[in-house]
């Protein structure tokens, strides 16, 4: 159990983010949740934690979340950088504004959070761990998710650079790359393309996240862990 540890989870009002919050709370973490709706605040209260409304694209909201967590728990041991989904569309029809919006949503959110929590984790005896929720399409780009696939490949690069720089401080960072999850409507053609023959459950991703944040994963950093039912083909 991790009764003295605190975890931040963003975009946690429902789906994968909420599953991560539930699993971490069950494993003894104090949870601090941010979401764009009051549902995240309600979930935090139900789990005995703290919550606020805000956006991962807003630096002031991220800073407020970190400050709130430190004020309440006095430490930050784990961060789950979860987000919504960036714009989709035909590759060359996506506007500059949508590309920039996607950069804020799935890449710079992690950079900004890292700036805030890295000094805190450096000052802690046991460092800390960060998991970024990415996508299976980061390394096998899908035309269905052009902004996500492009920018989360960049996120993988940032993750490796961060992991290298802060490993000596006991701070780890990894990415989890989900496949198609049961939080979205099922498409039979997609289901048939998955070797395990089904969509993933959000709890399966959350359990992987919890493992990567735990001491059981103390020698894992800078990695991109696919949790996709065998969907991607690259080795």
């Amino acid at each position: 159990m991790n009764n003295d540890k605190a975890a931040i989870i963003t975009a946690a009002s429902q789906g994968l983010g909420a599953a991560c919050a539930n699993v971490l709370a069950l494993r003894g973490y104090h949870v601090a949740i941010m979401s764009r709706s009051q549902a995240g605040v309600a979930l935090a209260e139900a789990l005995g934690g703290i919550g606020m409304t805000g956006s991962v694209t807003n630096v002031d909201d991220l800073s407020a979340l970190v400050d709130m967590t430190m004020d309440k728990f006095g430490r930050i041991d784990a961060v789950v950088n979860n987000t919504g989904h960036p714009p989709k569309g035909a590759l060359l029809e996506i506007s500059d504004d949508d590309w920039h919006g996607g950069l804020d949503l799935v890449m710079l959110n992690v950079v900004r959070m890292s700036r805030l929590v890295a000094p805190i984790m450096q000052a802690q005896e046991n460092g800390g761990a960060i998991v970024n929720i990415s996508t299976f399409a980061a390394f096998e780009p899908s035309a269905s998710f052009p902004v996500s696939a492009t920018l989360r490949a960049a996120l993988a690069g940032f993750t490796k650079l961060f992991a290298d720089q802060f490993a000596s401080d006991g701070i780890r960072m990894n990415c989890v790359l989900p496949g198609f999850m049961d939080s979205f409507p099922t498409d039979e053609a997609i289901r048939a393309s998955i070797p395990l023959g089904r969509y993933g459950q959000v709890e399966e991703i959350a359990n992987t996240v919890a493992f990567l944040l735990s001491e059981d994963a103390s020698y894992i950093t800078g990695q991109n862990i696919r949790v996709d039912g065998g969907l991607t083909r690259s080795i």
Side-chain angles (χ1 to χ4, degrees):
M1 297 293 286
N2 300 289
N3 294 321
D4 295 323
K5 292 192 173 184
I8 285 175
I9 310 99
T10 61
S13 63
Q14 59 183 346
L16 178 52
C20 288
N22 276 294
V23 167
L24 291 175
L26 284 172
R27 297 192 181 200
Y29 286 88
H30 302 296
V31 295
I33 291 172
M34 184 173 75
S35 72
R36 299 188 69 170
S37 74
Q38 284 293 324
V41 176
L43 176 61
E45 292 174 352
L47 296 175
I50 54 175
M52 63 169 279
T53 57
S55 171
V56 299
T57 64
N58 187 303
V59 177
D60 291 338
D61 289 347
L62 293 175
S63 182
L65 175 62
V66 169
D67 289 346
M68 180 181 73
T69 306
M70 290 298 292
D71 288 344
K72 179 67 174 179
F73 304 123
R75 59 187 300 112
I76 297 171
D77 301 277
V79 176
V80 181
N81 288 310
N82 184 46
T83 71
H85 297 276
K88 296 187 289 186
L91 183 63
L92 298 184
E93 296 177 5
I94 299 168
S95 69
D96 285 4
D97 285 345
D98 281 346
W99 279 106
H100 283 292
L103 181 65
D104 275 332
L105 184 66
V106 303
M107 172 63 185
L108 288 180
N109 66 306
V110 175
V111 176
R112 291 161 176 160
M113 178 65 82
S114 299
R115 290 180 185 139
L116 293 167
V117 301
I120 294 169
M121 291 180 172
Q122 284 176 309
Q124 295 175 167
E125 181 178 353
N126 296 321
I130 301 169
V131 172
N132 307 317
I133 305 300
S134 182
T135 174
F136 75 93
F139 295 111
E140 293 189 13
S142 168
S144 298
F145 313 104
V147 177
S148 181
T150 300
L151 296 176
R152 282 174 166 146
L155 175 60
F158 174 82
T159 295
K160 179 57 179 168
L161 293 172
F162 179 95
D164 290 349
Q165 182 171 337
F166 291 96
S168 61
D169 296 313
I171 305 172
R172 298 180 296 106
M173 179 183 282
N174 294 287
C175 292
V176 168
L177 281 55
F180 291 97
M181 307 309 298
D182 62 2
S183 53
F184 294 93
T186 301
D187 180 285
E188 182 58 29
I190 291 174
R191 188 203 62 75
S193 72
I194 302 169
L196 281 180
R198 63 177 176 83
Y199 277 42
Q201 299 173 359
V202 291
E203 290 78 13
E204 291 173 308
I205 303 297
N207 286 331
T208 305
V209 169
F211 163 71
L212 289 171
L213 293 173
S214 75
E215 289 302 309
D216 289 337
S218 58
Y219 204 54
I220 301 175
T221 193
Q223 303 304 306
N224 292 273
I225 309 297
R226 296 178 176 93
V227 190
D228 64 2
L231 177 65
T232 50
R233 305 306 303 160
S234 58
I235 298 174

